[in-house]
Amino acid sequence: MDVAIVGSGPTGAAYARVLSELRPDLELVSFEAGPLLADPPGLHVKNIADAEERAAAQRRSEGLVASDSEDRRLRRAGTHLLPDGFQQPGEDGIPSLAMSSNVGGMGAHWTAACPRPGDSEVIGFIDNLDELLDEAERLLGVSTHAFDGAPFADEVRARLGRAFDDSRPTGRKVQPMPLAVQTRDDGRVTWSGSDVVYGDATRSNPRHSLFPEAQVRVLRLEDGCVSGVVVRDLQDGTEHYVAAGQVVVAADAVRTPQLLWASGIRPRALGRYLNDQSQVIFAARLRDVVAADAAEGKASGKPRIARQSGVSWVPFTDAEPFHGQVMQLDASPVPLAPDDVVEPGSIVGLGWFCAKDLQETDRLEFDDEQTDAYGMPAIRVHYTLTDRDLAALEQARQTVRKAAEALGEPLDADPITLPPGASLHYQGTARMGATDDGTSVCDPLSRVWGVDGLRVAGNGLIPTSTACNPTLTSVALAVAGARDIASTYPKQEGTLP
Ligand code: FAD
């Protein structure tokens, strides 16, 4: 095998896609611990039309251990939480630390928001980051036009713009959220999962194979160089050694460092600088616009979909270090009066994400004795919110209220602060750095310092403190790593006609 890829989320899929396009001579294999949910592999579950089938696919993504019905921690469908070890005495912990285990990873369940990083979110030592982000947008099928023509969306942005845009530079003003979705002729959207990232180039590549329910247990090394992986077939429990010239670990920000640790690869920064984006949510009913638009909709016979409020974005800036996402809620999270008729699109949810004050001590610790349900080192989370984090959260609560009041009537007295982990954006644990100075795990081409042939991928690589959704950036970093394999891996003579 030339390249073994661990994980089939958007970043693992990006390696398979770029290598399929650039190096069709290479033998590629992707191992995925979770089950195959649908065809094509990696399909977003929201694209499964049948509600029961969709729910079954979500349940099948929730790992080996059924969640405890007594567990009151916030958990999203399609994900499973770290069962224990998520909070140490005297610390905040990350109670809602979640993973998805299925072909497509979290990318089969995500909201598909793909904003670009700005100001201090940008990874300064990557010169061609913008071009890599362009390519990531191509792979994910990102568009800013998914909800073009939705009248509420324009109004939402106009109102937010009046509240926020004055002091903002061009490019960081209120705008449509770039989304990894495709709009169909009837106005419905389909959501990009790893299936879109894999694309036909990967699916038609006879030299790429994807094995679901195949968990990589350990990476094998010879003389400081990775030589292959040991894979357990989760259906029959058998283990197999697969030799590989290059290994890419794209197993999320929790399980990527766990696998390296289990393999004896333990750079100082591994699992450290863990950061989650604290999140504040609120809901508002759009003022005035509803009745007028409803009347217009009825008169014109427009389909309901055209009256959605879309997804709007208030970008992060260093002066206002939050990332704001405003999107339609089909129903309010806050109960309305029973006789209150809710016009679709008139209730919007506001989510404000905060950038974390990074600390080396915020970390995942791996146990050499105890194991988890997958037989991997058990995880303990050390995590605290600093005074700066608490101040940022308070500022975010004020800002989200300002946004809600600009839009209309807030539906509750106060914004809700979600528990740590709710963002589903965990970063820093396999950190990228410009030099091997002990504060990073890999170099700008995702190569793990000191281990030849081994790369890492995923949100864990992001070294900056970000508030924006991370997947676009992580896919961009994967593109750089994959291109580097493509340009440096020896040509496989005689494999192509
Ligand atoms: P993942 O998608 O997590 O995939 C990792 C895969 O590796 C998993 O399938 C896992 O089973 C597999 N794996 C782990 N260990 C092993 C092993 N040892 N052997 C084999 N396989 C293994 N992000 C955004 O940017 N924008 C959003 O709007 C957004 N919304 C979200 C909404 C929800 C409800 C959820 C759940 C997530 C959301 N995210 C969002 C996060 C986004 O989905 C992730 O950032 C993205 O999927 C990360 O891609 P990845 O390939 O690094 O990891």
Side-chain angles (χ1 to χ4, degrees), residues 94 120-123 125 269 271-278 316 354-363 382-390 392 425-432 439-440 459-467:
I94 309 190
S120 57
E121 292 181 315
V122 173
I123 305 169
F125 56 80
R272 292 178 176 270
Y273 302 95
L274 168 65
N275 65 98
D276 159 62
Q277 300 166 345
S278 293
F316 171 98
C354 305
K356 174 87 174 77
D357 182 16
L358 298 186
Q359 309 185 94
E360 189 192 15
T361 49
D362 290 327
R363 66 192 187 279
H382 286 276
Y383 198 74
T384 50
L385 297 175
T386 66
D387 289 345
R388 269 174 63 184
D389 288 325
L390 297 174
H425 303 158
Y426 319 124
Q427 303 165 102
T429 52
R431 213 162 180 242
M432 183 177 273
T439 67
S440 60
N459 302 336
L461 274 62
I462 297 176
T464 46
S465 173
T466 72

Side-chain angles (χ1 to χ4, degrees), residues 235-251:
Q235 288 180 326
D236 63 15
T238 55
E239 292 205 348
H240 309 267
Y241 175 70
V242 179
Q246 293 267 322
V247 174
V248 179
V249 182

Side-chain angles (χ1 to χ4, degrees), residues 58-63 65-69 71-82 95-100 419 421-422 424 426:
Q58 288 171 327
R59 279 196 302 278
R60 296 186 70 218
S61 308
E62 294 172 2
V65 183
S67 61
D68 178 355
S69 57
D71 190 340
R72 296 282 167 245
R73 288 178 292 158
L74 177 68
R75 183 182 67 80
R76 308 295 169 80
T79 70
H80 52 107
L81 299 178
L82 201 63
S96 287
L97 190 69
M99 293 157 270
S100 293
L424 303 159
Y426 319 124

Side-chain angles (χ1 to χ4, degrees), residues 296-380:
E296 183 206 307
K298 271 184 209 127
S300 66
K302 277 186 198 165
R304 295 206 126 204
I305 197 87
R307 288 190 274 117
Q308 285 180 331
S309 46
V311 184
S312 300
W313 175 31
V314 184
F316 171 98
T317 64
D318 285 347
E320 287 182 291
F322 315 109
H323 159 87
Q325 216 166 290
V326 178
M327 53 202 288
Q328 177 180 329
L329 291 179
D330 291 332
S332 166
V334 188
L336 300 174
D339 56 350
D340 195 355
V341 178
V342 177
E343 184 64 28
S346 66
I347 306 289
V348 291
L350 300 94
W352 250 240
F353 296 83
C354 305
K356 174 87 174 77
D357 182 16
L358 298 186
Q359 309 185 94
E360 189 192 15
T361 49
D362 290 327
R363 66 192 187 279
L364 300 174
E365 254 181 23
F366 304 101
D367 201 305
D368 281 325
E369 309 292 328
Q370 275 181 20
T371 52
D372 65 14
Y374 287 86
M376 301 299 283
I379 294 173
R380 260 190 314 277

Side-chain angles (χ1 to χ4, degrees), residues 28-90:
L28 314 174
V29 61
S30 295
F31 295 112
E32 167 53 56
L36 181 66
L37 303 178
D39 190 39
L43 185 80
H44 197 301
V45 299
K46 280 196 219 172
N47 301 333
I48 300 175
D50 182 82
E52 273 180 32
E53 268 181 49
R54 188 165 57 249
Q58 288 171 327
R59 279 196 302 278
R60 296 186 70 218
S61 308
E62 294 172 2
L64 293 181
V65 183
S67 61
D68 178 355
S69 57
E70 298 295 303
D71 190 340
R72 296 282 167 245
R73 288 178 292 158
L74 177 68
R75 183 182 67 80
R76 308 295 169 80
T79 70
H80 52 107
L81 299 178
L82 201 63
D84 42 42
F86 50 83
Q87 187 175 26
Q88 308 311 316

